[in-house]
PDB file of all heavy atoms in Angstrom:
ATOM      1  N   ILE A   1      -9.464 142.172 -56.478  1.00 82.00           N
ATOM      2  CA  ILE A   1      -8.076 141.736 -56.525  1.00 82.00           C
ATOM      3  C   ILE A   1      -7.951 140.489 -55.666  1.00 82.00           C
ATOM      4  O   ILE A   1      -8.507 140.431 -54.564  1.00 82.00           O
ATOM      5  CB  ILE A   1      -7.131 142.863 -56.008  1.00 82.00           C
ATOM      6  CG1 ILE A   1      -7.265 144.089 -56.903  1.00 82.00           C
ATOM      7  CG2 ILE A   1      -5.696 142.368 -55.945  1.00 82.00           C
ATOM      8  CD1 ILE A   1      -6.519 145.294 -56.390  1.00 82.00           C
ATOM      9  N   LEU A   2      -7.224 139.503 -56.149  1.00 78.00           N
ATOM     10  CA  LEU A   2      -7.069 138.241 -55.448  1.00 78.00           C
ATOM     11  C   LEU A   2      -5.585 137.944 -55.338  1.00 78.00           C
ATOM     12  O   LEU A   2      -4.861 138.004 -56.339  1.00 78.00           O
ATOM     13  CB  LEU A   2      -7.780 137.116 -56.190  1.00 78.00           C
ATOM     14  CG  LEU A   2      -7.830 135.756 -55.558  1.00 78.00           C
ATOM     15  CD1 LEU A   2      -8.621 135.790 -54.251  1.00 78.00           C
ATOM     16  CD2 LEU A   2      -8.436 134.750 -56.508  1.00 78.00           C
ATOM     17  N   SER A   3      -5.122 137.648 -54.121  1.00 75.00           N
ATOM     18  CA  SER A   3      -3.709 137.323 -53.913  1.00 75.00           C
ATOM     19  C   SER A   3      -3.483 135.862 -54.220  1.00 75.00           C
ATOM     20  O   SER A   3      -4.137 134.978 -53.665  1.00 75.00           O
ATOM     21  CB  SER A   3      -3.300 137.635 -52.469  1.00 75.00           C
ATOM     22  OG  SER A   3      -1.996 137.175 -52.242  1.00 75.00           O
ATOM     23  N   VAL A   4      -2.537 135.583 -55.104  1.00 67.00           N
ATOM     24  CA  VAL A   4      -2.214 134.208 -55.458  1.00 67.00           C
ATOM     25  C   VAL A   4      -1.369 133.561 -54.372  1.00 67.00           C
ATOM     26  O   VAL A   4      -1.401 132.364 -54.158  1.00 67.00           O
ATOM     27  CB  VAL A   4      -1.477 134.169 -56.825  1.00 67.00           C
ATOM     28  CG1 VAL A   4      -1.117 132.762 -57.219  1.00 67.00           C
ATOM     29  CG2 VAL A   4      -2.347 134.812 -57.891  1.00 67.00           C
ATOM     30  N   ARG A   5      -0.625 134.358 -53.620  1.00 72.00           N
ATOM     31  CA  ARG A   5       0.296 133.835 -52.604  1.00 72.00           C
ATOM     32  C   ARG A   5      -0.417 133.106 -51.481  1.00 72.00           C
ATOM     33  O   ARG A   5       0.083 132.122 -50.961  1.00 72.00           O
ATOM     34  CB  ARG A   5       1.120 134.997 -52.029  1.00 72.00           C
ATOM     35  CG  ARG A   5       2.092 135.557 -53.030  1.00 72.00           C
ATOM     36  CD  ARG A   5       2.983 136.593 -52.398  1.00 72.00           C
ATOM     37  NE  ARG A   5       3.552 137.390 -53.474  1.00 72.00           N
ATOM     38  CZ  ARG A   5       3.324 138.677 -53.636  1.00 72.00           C
ATOM     39  NH1 ARG A   5       2.577 139.336 -52.785  1.00 72.00           N
ATOM     40  NH2 ARG A   5       3.853 139.319 -54.646  1.00 72.00           N
ATOM     41  N   ASN A   6      -1.601 133.589 -51.059  1.00 74.00           N
ATOM     42  CA  ASN A   6      -2.255 132.934 -49.935  1.00 74.00           C
ATOM     43  C   ASN A   6      -3.014 131.684 -50.328  1.00 74.00           C
ATOM     44  O   ASN A   6      -3.434 130.902 -49.471  1.00 74.00           O
ATOM     45  CB  ASN A   6      -3.180 133.909 -49.192  1.00 74.00           C
ATOM     46  CG  ASN A   6      -4.400 134.327 -49.964  1.00 74.00           C
ATOM     47  OD1 ASN A   6      -4.737 133.737 -50.992  1.00 74.00           O
ATOM     48  ND2 ASN A   6      -5.063 135.364 -49.476  1.00 74.00           N
ATOM     49  N   GLY A   7      -3.216 131.419 -51.605  1.00 72.00           N
ATOM     50  CA  GLY A   7      -3.816 130.193 -52.097  1.00 72.00           C
ATOM     51  C   GLY A   7      -5.307 130.041 -51.792  1.00 72.00           C
ATOM     52  O   GLY A   7      -5.862 128.960 -51.930  1.00 72.00           O
ATOM     53  N   LYS A   8      -5.953 131.077 -51.384  1.00 78.00           N
ATOM     54  CA  LYS A   8      -7.382 131.006 -51.074  1.00 78.00           C
ATOM     55  C   LYS A   8      -8.218 131.345 -52.297  1.00 78.00           C
ATOM     56  O   LYS A   8      -7.838 132.183 -53.097  1.00 78.00           O
ATOM     57  CB  LYS A   8      -7.739 131.966 -49.929  1.00 78.00           C
ATOM     58  CG  LYS A   8      -7.155 131.543 -48.585  1.00 78.00           C
ATOM     59  CD  LYS A   8      -7.661 132.425 -47.491  1.00 78.00           C
ATOM     60  CE  LYS A   8      -7.092 131.964 -46.152  1.00 78.00           C
ATOM     61  NZ  LYS A   8      -7.524 132.822 -45.060  1.00 78.00           N
ATOM     62  N   CYS A   9      -9.345 130.681 -52.408  1.00 81.00           N
ATOM     63  CA  CYS A   9     -10.283 130.922 -53.507  1.00 81.00           C
ATOM     64  C   CYS A   9     -11.291 132.000 -53.101  1.00 81.00           C
ATOM     65  O   CYS A   9     -11.500 132.262 -51.911  1.00 81.00           O
ATOM     66  CB  CYS A   9     -11.047 129.647 -53.847  1.00 81.00           C
ATOM     67  SG  CYS A   9     -10.005 128.377 -54.528  1.00 81.00           S
ATOM     68  N   LYS A  10     -11.919 132.571 -54.067  1.00 81.00           N
ATOM     69  CA  LYS A  10     -12.960 133.563 -53.841  1.00 81.00           C
ATOM     70  C   LYS A  10     -14.280 132.950 -54.282  1.00 81.00           C
ATOM     71  O   LYS A  10     -14.395 132.448 -55.409  1.00 81.00           O
ATOM     72  CB  LYS A  10     -12.660 134.824 -54.639  1.00 81.00           C
ATOM     73  CG  LYS A  10     -13.666 135.929 -54.509  1.00 81.00           C
ATOM     74  CD  LYS A  10     -13.405 136.736 -53.273  1.00 81.00           C
ATOM     75  CE  LYS A  10     -14.313 137.950 -53.257  1.00 81.00           C
ATOM     76  NZ  LYS A  10     -14.223 138.656 -52.014  1.00 81.00           N
ATOM     77  N   THR A  11     -15.277 132.950 -53.406  1.00 86.00           N
ATOM     78  CA  THR A  11     -16.591 132.421 -53.742  1.00 86.00           C
ATOM     79  C   THR A  11     -17.527 133.595 -53.947  1.00 86.00           C
ATOM     80  O   THR A  11     -17.628 134.477 -53.106  1.00 86.00           O
ATOM     81  CB  THR A  11     -17.133 131.526 -52.601  1.00 86.00           C
ATOM     82  OG1 THR A  11     -16.214 130.448 -52.414  1.00 86.00           O
ATOM     83  CG2 THR A  11     -18.503 130.984 -52.959  1.00 86.00           C
ATOM     84  N   LEU A  12     -18.199 133.598 -55.104  1.00 87.00           N
ATOM     85  CA  LEU A  12     -19.162 134.654 -55.429  1.00 87.00           C
ATOM     86  C   LEU A  12     -20.547 134.041 -55.457  1.00 87.00           C
ATOM     87  O   LEU A  12     -20.744 132.953 -55.973  1.00 87.00           O
ATOM     88  CB  LEU A  12     -18.831 135.296 -56.771  1.00 87.00           C
ATOM     89  CG  LEU A  12     -17.462 135.943 -56.899  1.00 87.00           C
ATOM     90  CD1 LEU A  12     -17.236 136.413 -58.335  1.00 87.00           C
ATOM     91  CD2 LEU A  12     -17.333 137.099 -55.933  1.00 87.00           C
ATOM     92  N   ARG A  13     -21.515 134.769 -54.938  1.00 88.00           N
ATOM     93  CA  ARG A  13     -22.910 134.329 -54.970  1.00 88.00           C
ATOM     94  C   ARG A  13     -23.704 135.270 -55.842  1.00 88.00           C
ATOM     95  O   ARG A  13     -23.532 136.489 -55.794  1.00 88.00           O
ATOM     96  CB  ARG A  13     -23.483 134.325 -53.557  1.00 88.00           C
ATOM     97  CG  ARG A  13     -22.858 133.255 -52.676  1.00 88.00           C
ATOM     98  CD  ARG A  13     -23.506 133.225 -51.324  1.00 88.00           C
ATOM     99  NE  ARG A  13     -24.941 133.016 -51.523  1.00 88.00           N
ATOM    100  CZ  ARG A  13     -25.816 133.000 -50.558  1.00 88.00           C
ATOM    101  NH1 ARG A  13     -25.437 133.162 -49.322  1.00 88.00           N
ATOM    102  NH2 ARG A  13     -27.106 132.826 -50.810  1.00 88.00           N
ATOM    103  N   VAL A  14     -24.574 134.698 -56.679  1.00 88.00           N
ATOM    104  CA  VAL A  14     -25.447 135.497 -57.522  1.00 88.00           C
ATOM    105  C   VAL A  14     -26.889 135.162 -57.197  1.00 88.00           C
ATOM    106  O   VAL A  14     -27.194 134.096 -56.683  1.00 88.00           O
ATOM    107  CB  VAL A  14     -25.185 135.243 -59.035  1.00 88.00           C
ATOM    108  CG1 VAL A  14     -23.836 135.723 -59.454  1.00 88.00           C
ATOM    109  CG2 VAL A  14     -25.380 133.791 -59.403  1.00 88.00           C
ATOM    110  N   GLY A  15     -27.762 136.103 -57.469  1.00 87.00           N
ATOM    111  CA  GLY A  15     -29.187 135.901 -57.255  1.00 87.00           C
ATOM    112  C   GLY A  15     -29.956 136.319 -58.485  1.00 87.00           C
ATOM    113  O   GLY A  15     -29.520 137.158 -59.277  1.00 87.00           O
ATOM    114  N   LEU A  16     -31.129 135.705 -58.669  1.00 85.00           N
ATOM    115  CA  LEU A  16     -32.001 136.007 -59.788  1.00 85.00           C
ATOM    116  C   LEU A  16     -32.790 137.286 -59.518  1.00 85.00           C
ATOM    117  O   LEU A  16     -33.302 137.479 -58.410  1.00 85.00           O
ATOM    118  CB  LEU A  16     -32.979 134.875 -60.034  1.00 85.00           C
ATOM    119  CG  LEU A  16     -32.438 133.597 -60.636  1.00 85.00           C
ATOM    120  CD1 LEU A  16     -33.498 132.514 -60.626  1.00 85.00           C
ATOM    121  CD2 LEU A  16     -31.977 133.841 -62.060  1.00 85.00           C
ATOM    122  N   LEU A  17     -32.910 138.150 -60.520  1.00 83.00           N
ATOM    123  CA  LEU A  17     -33.738 139.337 -60.401  1.00 83.00           C
ATOM    124  C   LEU A  17     -35.203 139.013 -60.612  1.00 83.00           C
ATOM    125  O   LEU A  17     -36.091 139.626 -60.040  1.00 83.00           O
ATOM    126  CB  LEU A  17     -33.311 140.394 -61.423  1.00 83.00           C
ATOM    127  CG  LEU A  17     -31.941 141.026 -61.139  1.00 83.00           C
ATOM    128  CD1 LEU A  17     -31.566 141.940 -62.268  1.00 83.00           C
ATOM    129  CD2 LEU A  17     -31.978 141.781 -59.836  1.00 83.00           C
ATOM    130  N   SER A  18     -35.477 138.041 -61.486  1.00 78.00           N
ATOM    131  CA  SER A  18     -36.842 137.588 -61.772  1.00 78.00           C
ATOM    132  C   SER A  18     -36.765 136.153 -62.249  1.00 78.00           C
ATOM    133  O   SER A  18     -35.682 135.646 -62.510  1.00 78.00           O
ATOM    134  CB  SER A  18     -37.502 138.488 -62.814  1.00 78.00           C
ATOM    135  OG  SER A  18     -36.756 138.414 -64.025  1.00 78.00           O
ATOM    136  N   THR A  19     -37.902 135.517 -62.373  1.00 76.00           N
ATOM    137  CA  THR A  19     -37.892 134.142 -62.840  1.00 76.00           C
ATOM    138  C   THR A  19     -37.377 134.089 -64.276  1.00 76.00           C
ATOM    139  O   THR A  19     -37.598 134.993 -65.072  1.00 76.00           O
ATOM    140  CB  THR A  19     -39.301 133.512 -62.787  1.00 76.00           C
ATOM    141  OG1 THR A  19     -40.184 134.308 -63.574  1.00 76.00           O
ATOM    142  CG2 THR A  19     -39.803 133.413 -61.380  1.00 76.00           C
ATOM    143  N   ILE A  20     -36.704 133.016 -64.609  1.00 74.00           N
ATOM    144  CA  ILE A  20     -36.143 132.836 -65.940  1.00 74.00           C
ATOM    145  C   ILE A  20     -37.222 132.292 -66.842  1.00 74.00           C
ATOM    146  O   ILE A  20     -37.795 131.233 -66.585  1.00 74.00           O
ATOM    147  CB  ILE A  20     -34.919 131.910 -65.889  1.00 74.00           C
ATOM    148  CG1 ILE A  20     -33.826 132.591 -65.090  1.00 74.00           C
ATOM    149  CG2 ILE A  20     -34.461 131.560 -67.287  1.00 74.00           C
ATOM    150  CD1 ILE A  20     -32.583 131.757 -64.918  1.00 74.00           C
ATOM    151  N   GLN A  21     -37.539 133.051 -67.893  1.00 72.00           N
ATOM    152  CA  GLN A  21     -38.596 132.651 -68.831  1.00 72.00           C
ATOM    153  C   GLN A  21     -38.062 131.693 -69.894  1.00 72.00           C
ATOM    154  O   GLN A  21     -38.736 130.740 -70.258  1.00 72.00           O
ATOM    155  CB  GLN A  21     -39.187 133.895 -69.526  1.00 72.00           C
ATOM    156  CG  GLN A  21     -39.804 134.887 -68.555  1.00 72.00           C
ATOM    157  CD  GLN A  21     -40.980 134.321 -67.808  1.00 72.00           C
ATOM    158  OE1 GLN A  21     -41.782 133.606 -68.382  1.00 72.00           O
ATOM    159  NE2 GLN A  21     -41.088 134.636 -66.529  1.00 72.00           N
ATOM    160  N   ASN A  22     -36.887 131.958 -70.402  1.00 70.00           N
ATOM    161  CA  ASN A  22     -36.318 131.152 -71.483  1.00 70.00           C
ATOM    162  C   ASN A  22     -35.292 130.200 -70.887  1.00 70.00           C
ATOM    163  O   ASN A  22     -34.121 130.543 -70.738  1.00 70.00           O
ATOM    164  CB  ASN A  22     -35.677 132.043 -72.542  1.00 70.00           C
ATOM    165  CG  ASN A  22     -35.163 131.254 -73.726  1.00 70.00           C
ATOM    166  OD1 ASN A  22     -35.235 130.026 -73.766  1.00 70.00           O
ATOM    167  ND2 ASN A  22     -34.647 131.961 -74.712  1.00 70.00           N
ATOM    168  N   VAL A  23     -35.719 128.982 -70.547  1.00 67.00           N
ATOM    169  CA  VAL A  23     -34.818 128.030 -69.936  1.00 67.00           C
ATOM    170  C   VAL A  23     -33.918 127.346 -70.946  1.00 67.00           C
ATOM    171  O   VAL A  23     -33.045 126.577 -70.593  1.00 67.00           O
ATOM    172  CB  VAL A  23     -35.575 126.975 -69.095  1.00 67.00           C
ATOM    173  CG1 VAL A  23     -36.300 127.610 -67.934  1.00 67.00           C
ATOM    174  CG2 VAL A  23     -36.512 126.163 -69.954  1.00 67.00           C
ATOM    175  N   VAL A  24     -34.108 127.607 -72.219  1.00 67.00           N
ATOM    176  CA  VAL A  24     -33.246 127.035 -73.247  1.00 67.00           C
ATOM    177  C   VAL A  24     -31.948 127.827 -73.330  1.00 67.00           C
ATOM    178  O   VAL A  24     -30.882 127.267 -73.547  1.00 67.00           O
ATOM    179  CB  VAL A  24     -33.961 127.003 -74.613  1.00 67.00           C
ATOM    180  CG1 VAL A  24     -33.043 126.529 -75.700  1.00 67.00           C
ATOM    181  CG2 VAL A  24     -35.188 126.120 -74.530  1.00 67.00           C
ATOM    182  N   GLU A  25     -32.028 129.122 -73.147  1.00 74.00           N
ATOM    183  CA  GLU A  25     -30.822 129.973 -73.208  1.00 74.00           C
ATOM    184  C   GLU A  25     -30.000 129.788 -71.936  1.00 74.00           C
ATOM    185  O   GLU A  25     -30.503 129.956 -70.817  1.00 74.00           O
ATOM    186  CB  GLU A  25     -31.248 131.447 -73.332  1.00 74.00           C
ATOM    187  CG  GLU A  25     -30.090 132.419 -73.389  1.00 74.00           C
ATOM    188  CD  GLU A  25     -30.561 133.855 -73.403  1.00 74.00           C
ATOM    189  OE1 GLU A  25     -31.771 134.105 -73.548  1.00 74.00           O
ATOM    190  OE2 GLU A  25     -29.707 134.723 -73.226  1.00 74.00           O
ATOM    191  N   PRO A  26     -28.714 129.418 -72.074  1.00 77.00           N
ATOM    192  CA  PRO A  26     -27.910 129.195 -70.869  1.00 77.00           C
ATOM    193  C   PRO A  26     -27.534 130.519 -70.203  1.00 77.00           C
ATOM    194  O   PRO A  26     -27.595 131.591 -70.822  1.00 77.00           O
ATOM    195  CB  PRO A  26     -26.650 128.508 -71.398  1.00 77.00           C
ATOM    196  CG  PRO A  26     -26.536 128.975 -72.803  1.00 77.00           C
ATOM    197  CD  PRO A  26     -27.972 129.168 -73.300  1.00 77.00           C
ATOM    198  N   LEU A  27     -27.155 130.452 -68.931  1.00 82.00           N
ATOM    199  CA  LEU A  27     -26.605 131.593 -68.226  1.00 82.00           C
ATOM    200  C   LEU A  27     -25.099 131.572 -68.494  1.00 82.00           C
ATOM    201  O   LEU A  27     -24.435 130.573 -68.226  1.00 82.00           O
ATOM    202  CB  LEU A  27     -26.858 131.487 -66.727  1.00 82.00           C
ATOM    203  CG  LEU A  27     -28.334 131.467 -66.308  1.00 82.00           C
ATOM    204  CD1 LEU A  27     -28.457 131.173 -64.813  1.00 82.00           C
ATOM    205  CD2 LEU A  27     -29.014 132.775 -66.649  1.00 82.00           C
ATOM    206  N   VAL A  28     -24.553 132.654 -69.067  1.00 85.00           N
ATOM    207  CA  VAL A  28     -23.156 132.672 -69.454  1.00 85.00           C
ATOM    208  C   VAL A  28     -22.409 133.646 -68.556  1.00 85.00           C
ATOM    209  O   VAL A  28     -22.796 134.796 -68.386  1.00 85.00           O
ATOM    210  CB  VAL A  28     -23.011 133.087 -70.931  1.00 85.00           C
ATOM    211  CG1 VAL A  28     -21.521 133.117 -71.339  1.00 85.00           C
ATOM    212  CG2 VAL A  28     -23.783 132.145 -71.832  1.00 85.00           C
ATOM    213  N   PHE A  29     -21.320 133.157 -67.959  1.00 87.00           N
ATOM    214  CA  PHE A  29     -20.436 133.968 -67.120  1.00 87.00           C
ATOM    215  C   PHE A  29     -19.126 134.167 -67.842  1.00 87.00           C
ATOM    216  O   PHE A  29     -18.630 133.249 -68.491  1.00 87.00           O
ATOM    217  CB  PHE A  29     -20.173 133.257 -65.783  1.00 87.00           C
ATOM    218  CG  PHE A  29     -21.368 133.192 -64.881  1.00 87.00           C
ATOM    219  CD1 PHE A  29     -22.327 132.211 -65.047  1.00 87.00           C
ATOM    220  CD2 PHE A  29     -21.539 134.122 -63.868  1.00 87.00           C
ATOM    221  CE1 PHE A  29     -23.426 132.144 -64.214  1.00 87.00           C
ATOM    222  CE2 PHE A  29     -22.635 134.064 -63.047  1.00 87.00           C
ATOM    223  CZ  PHE A  29     -23.587 133.071 -63.224  1.00 87.00           C
ATOM    224  N   SER A  30     -18.563 135.361 -67.737  1.00 87.00           N
ATOM    225  CA  SER A  30     -17.273 135.681 -68.337  1.00 87.00           C
ATOM    226  C   SER A  30     -16.303 136.071 -67.238  1.00 87.00           C
ATOM    227  O   SER A  30     -16.632 136.866 -66.354  1.00 87.00           O
ATOM    228  CB  SER A  30     -17.443 136.817 -69.349  1.00 87.00           C
ATOM    229  OG  SER A  30     -16.164 137.197 -69.863  1.00 87.00           O
ATOM    230  N   LEU A  31     -15.081 135.533 -67.306  1.00 86.00           N
ATOM    231  CA  LEU A  31     -14.027 135.855 -66.336  1.00 86.00           C
ATOM    232  C   LEU A  31     -12.845 136.450 -67.074  1.00 86.00           C
ATOM    233  O   LEU A  31     -12.300 135.826 -67.992  1.00 86.00           O
ATOM    234  CB  LEU A  31     -13.595 134.586 -65.589  1.00 86.00           C
ATOM    235  CG  LEU A  31     -12.346 134.701 -64.697  1.00 86.00           C
ATOM    236  CD1 LEU A  31     -12.605 135.646 -63.528  1.00 86.00           C
ATOM    237  CD2 LEU A  31     -11.930 133.327 -64.196  1.00 86.00           C
ATOM    238  N   LYS A  32     -12.429 137.664 -66.667  1.00 86.00           N
ATOM    239  CA  LYS A  32     -11.252 138.315 -67.218  1.00 86.00           C
ATOM    240  C   LYS A  32     -10.247 138.445 -66.084  1.00 86.00           C
ATOM    241  O   LYS A  32     -10.592 138.907 -64.984  1.00 86.00           O
ATOM    242  CB  LYS A  32     -11.576 139.712 -67.763  1.00 86.00           C
ATOM    243  CG  LYS A  32     -12.458 139.692 -68.967  1.00 86.00           C
ATOM    244  CD  LYS A  32     -12.736 141.105 -69.471  1.00 86.00           C
ATOM    245  CE  LYS A  32     -13.741 141.061 -70.616  1.00 86.00           C
ATOM    246  NZ  LYS A  32     -14.093 142.412 -71.056  1.00 86.00           N
ATOM    247  N   VAL A  33      -9.018 138.026 -66.347  1.00 81.00           N
ATOM    248  CA  VAL A  33      -7.971 138.046 -65.323  1.00 81.00           C
ATOM    249  C   VAL A  33      -6.775 138.790 -65.871  1.00 81.00           C
ATOM    250  O   VAL A  33      -6.386 138.616 -67.029  1.00 81.00           O
ATOM    251  CB  VAL A  33      -7.561 136.598 -64.939  1.00 81.00           C
ATOM    252  CG1 VAL A  33      -6.466 136.611 -63.903  1.00 81.00           C
ATOM    253  CG2 VAL A  33      -8.759 135.819 -64.422  1.00 81.00           C
ATOM    254  N   SER A  34      -6.149 139.619 -65.032  1.00 77.00           N
ATOM    255  CA  SER A  34      -4.899 140.289 -65.413  1.00 77.00           C
ATOM    256  C   SER A  34      -4.001 140.356 -64.176  1.00 77.00           C
ATOM    257  O   SER A  34      -4.468 140.286 -63.037  1.00 77.00           O
ATOM    258  CB  SER A  34      -5.180 141.687 -65.961  1.00 77.00           C
ATOM    259  OG  SER A  34      -5.783 142.486 -64.963  1.00 77.00           O
ATOM    260  N   LEU A  35      -2.710 140.475 -64.426  1.00 71.00           N
ATOM    261  CA  LEU A  35      -1.765 140.570 -63.322  1.00 71.00           C
ATOM    262  C   LEU A  35      -1.844 141.926 -62.678  1.00 71.00           C
ATOM    263  O   LEU A  35      -2.030 142.952 -63.354  1.00 71.00           O
ATOM    264  CB  LEU A  35      -0.337 140.298 -63.826  1.00 71.00           C
ATOM    265  CG  LEU A  35      -0.103 138.905 -64.401  1.00 71.00           C
ATOM    266  CD1 LEU A  35       1.281 138.820 -64.999  1.00 71.00           C
ATOM    267  CD2 LEU A  35      -0.297 137.853 -63.326  1.00 71.00           C
ATOM    268  N   HIS A  36      -1.666 141.973 -61.365  1.00 57.00           N
ATOM    269  CA  HIS A  36      -1.737 143.230 -60.638  1.00 57.00           C
ATOM    270  C   HIS A  36      -0.418 143.434 -59.902  1.00 57.00           C
ATOM    271  O   HIS A  36      -0.057 142.627 -59.056  1.00 57.00           O
ATOM    272  CB  HIS A  36      -2.887 143.193 -59.629  1.00 57.00           C
ATOM    273  CG  HIS A  36      -2.934 144.383 -58.715  1.00 57.00           C
ATOM    274  ND1 HIS A  36      -3.340 145.605 -59.159  1.00 57.00           N
ATOM    275  CD2 HIS A  36      -2.588 144.534 -57.427  1.00 57.00           C
ATOM    276  CE1 HIS A  36      -3.271 146.458 -58.167  1.00 57.00           C
ATOM    277  NE2 HIS A  36      -2.811 145.835 -57.104  1.00 57.00           N
ATOM    278  N   GLU A  37       0.338 144.446 -60.249  1.00 59.00           N
ATOM    279  CA  GLU A  37       1.578 144.795 -59.570  1.00 59.00           C
ATOM    280  C   GLU A  37       1.630 146.308 -59.450  1.00 59.00           C
ATOM    281  O   GLU A  37       1.305 147.021 -60.372  1.00 59.00           O
ATOM    282  CB  GLU A  37       2.800 144.320 -60.383  1.00 59.00           C
ATOM    283  CG  GLU A  37       2.972 142.825 -60.411  1.00 59.00           C
ATOM    284  CD  GLU A  37       3.470 142.241 -59.090  1.00 59.00           C
ATOM    285  OE1 GLU A  37       3.954 143.006 -58.239  1.00 59.00           O
ATOM    286  OE2 GLU A  37       3.369 141.030 -58.921  1.00 59.00           O
ATOM    287  N   ASN A  38       2.051 146.754 -58.293  1.00 59.00           N
ATOM    288  CA  ASN A  38       2.281 148.184 -58.109  1.00 59.00           C
ATOM    289  C   ASN A  38       3.676 148.505 -58.592  1.00 59.00           C
ATOM    290  O   ASN A  38       4.658 147.999 -58.046  1.00 59.00           O
ATOM    291  CB  ASN A  38       2.136 148.576 -56.625  1.00 59.00           C
ATOM    292  CG  ASN A  38       0.708 148.477 -56.174  1.00 59.00           C
ATOM    293  OD1 ASN A  38      -0.205 148.671 -56.950  1.00 59.00           O
ATOM    294  ND2 ASN A  38       0.518 148.150 -54.915  1.00 59.00           N
ATOM    295  N   LEU A  39       3.805 149.311 -59.639  1.00 55.00           N
ATOM    296  CA  LEU A  39       5.127 149.683 -60.150  1.00 55.00           C
ATOM    297  C   LEU A  39       5.798 150.650 -59.196  1.00 55.00           C
ATOM    298  O   LEU A  39       5.172 151.624 -58.750  1.00 55.00           O
ATOM    299  CB  LEU A  39       4.992 150.305 -61.539  1.00 55.00           C
ATOM    300  CG  LEU A  39       4.521 149.369 -62.648  1.00 55.00           C
ATOM    301  CD1 LEU A  39       4.274 150.162 -63.927  1.00 55.00           C
ATOM    302  CD2 LEU A  39       5.518 148.272 -62.882  1.00 55.00           C
ATOM    303  N   PRO A  40       7.088 150.416 -58.870  1.00 56.00           N
ATOM    304  CA  PRO A  40       7.798 151.324 -57.974  1.00 56.00           C
ATOM    305  C   PRO A  40       8.104 152.655 -58.673  1.00 56.00           C
ATOM    306  O   PRO A  40       8.181 152.706 -59.893  1.00 56.00           O
ATOM    307  CB  PRO A  40       9.076 150.579 -57.621  1.00 56.00           C
ATOM    308  CG  PRO A  40       9.260 149.593 -58.713  1.00 56.00           C
ATOM    309  CD  PRO A  40       7.909 149.288 -59.269  1.00 56.00           C
ATOM    310  N   ASN A  41       8.261 153.670 -57.872  1.00 58.00           N
ATOM    311  CA  ASN A  41       8.578 155.007 -58.407  1.00 58.00           C
ATOM    312  C   ASN A  41      10.085 155.220 -58.343  1.00 58.00           C
ATOM    313  O   ASN A  41      10.590 156.001 -57.523  1.00 58.00           O
ATOM    314  CB  ASN A  41       7.854 156.103 -57.613  1.00 58.00           C
ATOM    315  CG  ASN A  41       6.361 156.049 -57.837  1.00 58.00           C
ATOM    316  OD1 ASN A  41       5.924 155.665 -58.900  1.00 58.00           O
ATOM    317  ND2 ASN A  41       5.601 156.428 -56.827  1.00 58.00           N
ATOM    318  N   ARG A  42      10.827 154.549 -59.156  1.00 57.00           N
ATOM    319  CA  ARG A  42      12.276 154.715 -59.207  1.00 57.00           C
ATOM    320  C   ARG A  42      12.693 155.219 -60.580  1.00 57.00           C
ATOM    321  O   ARG A  42      11.935 155.115 -61.540  1.00 57.00           O
ATOM    322  CB  ARG A  42      12.994 153.390 -58.914  1.00 57.00           C
ATOM    323  CG  ARG A  42      12.856 152.949 -57.488  1.00 57.00           C
ATOM    324  CD  ARG A  42      13.862 151.869 -57.219  1.00 57.00           C
ATOM    325  NE  ARG A  42      13.199 150.785 -56.491  1.00 57.00           N
ATOM    326  CZ  ARG A  42      13.614 149.572 -56.440  1.00 57.00           C
ATOM    327  NH1 ARG A  42      14.691 149.204 -57.101  1.00 57.00           N
ATOM    328  NH2 ARG A  42      12.973 148.671 -55.759  1.00 57.00           N
TER     329      ARG A  42
END
């Protein structure tokens, strides 16, 4: 969860499990974002 109000970014680091054999195939990252709100119990 990331707070938009504080304006800070999140840095993620990844590491390789093994050497990459197929350097033609790109590394593809997917980002899914959704709004997060706690609904009140009223």
Side-chain angles (χ1 to χ4, degrees):
I1 298 173
L2 185 64
S3 173
V4 179
R5 291 185 199 116
N6 68 13
K8 291 186 178 179
C9 294
K10 179 83 173 172
T11 301
L12 300 175
R13 292 184 56 184
V14 293
L16 287 172
L17 291 174
S18 61
T19 58
I20 295 178
Q21 300 296 321
N22 184 357
V23 296
V24 175
E25 180 185 350
L27 299 173
V28 180
F29 291 82
S30 175
L31 170 65
K32 293 180 185 176
V33 179
S34 62
L35 297 174
H36 173 74
E37 290 287 345
N38 290 330
L39 293 174
N41 292 328
R42 290 195 225 159

